[in-house]
Amino acid sequence: MQQELKSEITKQHILHEAFKLFYENGFKSTSVNDVMKATKMTKGAFYHHYKSKQQLGLEVIQLKLQQRVYDGMIVPLEQPGNAIKILEETFLNRIKSFPVYDKKHGCPMNNFINEIGNYEVSYQLALKSIIEKWKSALVTLIDKGKEQKTIKNEIPSEAAAVYLISAFEGIRGIRKIYEDDRVINHYISGLSLYINQLKP
């Protein structure tokens, strides 16, 4: 039992350091040696837990990225209350809350999608699964807004959900090439206008 716990702690340590390296340097630019150096592990110890960099990458997507999107972008959508206010709080407040480090490096999931989304089917399916869960939570909220009469009934729920996700992910990527938040402020203004147009 103690050995299992120790093994799980080691795996979590590898995942944490690998996530950081992939986020800062990119998946393709990060080698197994880089991960071993960051975790202070021997080759044998690393390969005891992960057969390959590909397996590690997949677990980073399924465990680290998925949890990050779930906590930051899905859980807030599932709260009770006015659907429009929830959309504003989730998308507008979240973008304002990112530290400089996150603004500089963009969205980890979006970085993975752009770098390896079409690189291997297993990555593609894992990343798509995260987007689909996020989209589903948004569709549920938008439909709830229609029932509350806080969102126009004629709004196509899935189209609105895809637009909101795309705009949010897009600005995270665009912000990486700017020195300040002016471009984010323009996004916030534009998104506020869009959300207002959803109201009856």
Side-chain angles (χ1 to χ4, degrees):
M1 189 67 165
Q2 197 170 351
Q3 186 56 42
E4 281 178 25
L5 181 61
K6 190 179 172 187
S7 180
E8 185 54 35
I9 290 168
T10 303
K11 280 190 81 170
Q12 289 304 317
H13 178 54
I14 296 169
L15 282 170
H16 175 75
E17 293 300 328
F19 170 79
K20 213 159 72 168
L21 287 169
F22 296 156
Y23 188 25
E24 291 176 2
N25 306 321
F27 178 77
K28 290 181 181 176
S29 300
T30 303
S31 67
V32 169
N33 283 341
D34 294 328
V35 177
M36 287 190 299
K37 189 175 173 185
T39 55
K40 298 179 173 55
M41 295 184 76
T42 64
K43 200 169 190 175
F46 174 86
Y47 283 108
H48 173 71
H49 295 283
Y50 291 99
K51 291 183 290 185
S52 64
K53 180 182 157 186
Q54 280 68 28
Q55 186 192 12
L56 174 61
L58 192 58
E59 284 212 9
V60 165
I61 294 168
Q62 291 171 330
L63 301 176
K64 300 293 280 187
L65 292 187
Q66 185 162 284
Q67 193 63 49
R68 188 181 166 108
V69 173
Y70 179 75
D71 292 342
M73 300 307 296
I74 295 176
V75 169
L77 299 174
E78 295 172 340
Q79 304 309 305
N82 180 301
I84 287 287
K85 287 195 180 349
I86 291 169
L87 283 177
E88 288 172 341
E89 285 165 15
T90 303
F91 284 90
L92 300 178
N93 294 347
R94 176 81 169 147
I95 202 78
K96 292 175 193 172
S97 72
F98 287 114
V100 174
Y101 172 83
D102 284 42
K103 288 173 182 174
K104 182 181 171 186
H105 293 95
C107 171
M109 180 179 65
N110 199 28
N111 292 350
F112 262 88
I113 289 169
N114 287 325
E115 190 182 8
I116 61 168
N118 61 347
Y119 184 59
E120 193 176 294
V121 174
S122 60
Y123 296 149
Q124 191 176 36
L125 292 174
L127 290 162
K128 186 178 172 184
S129 171
I130 298 171
I131 295 290
E132 286 298 316
K133 285 171 184 163
W134 187 4
K135 185 176 78 172
S136 176
L138 268 169
V139 167
T140 300
L141 177 67
I142 293 164
D143 287 344
K144 184 175 87 172
K146 291 176 186 178
E147 288 168 18
Q148 294 172 338
K149 304 204 182 309
T150 56
I151 292 178
K152 290 177 192 167
N153 208 45
E154 62 269 26
I155 295 293
S157 302
E158 195 165 348
V162 170
Y163 174 78
L164 287 165
I165 291 169
S166 301
F168 185 83
E169 290 300 308
I171 196 61
R172 296 289 315 277
I174 290 168
R175 173 59 179 83
K176 292 193 289 186
I177 59 173
Y178 285 84
E179 298 301 315
D180 57 43
D181 282 345
R182 273 179 292 181
V183 72
I184 283 184
N185 294 333
H186 291 314
Y187 159 81
I188 288 168
S189 298
L191 189 61
S192 296
L193 286 170
Y194 176 74
I195 291 175
N196 273 325
Q197 287 172 0
L198 300 179
K199 296 176 186 175

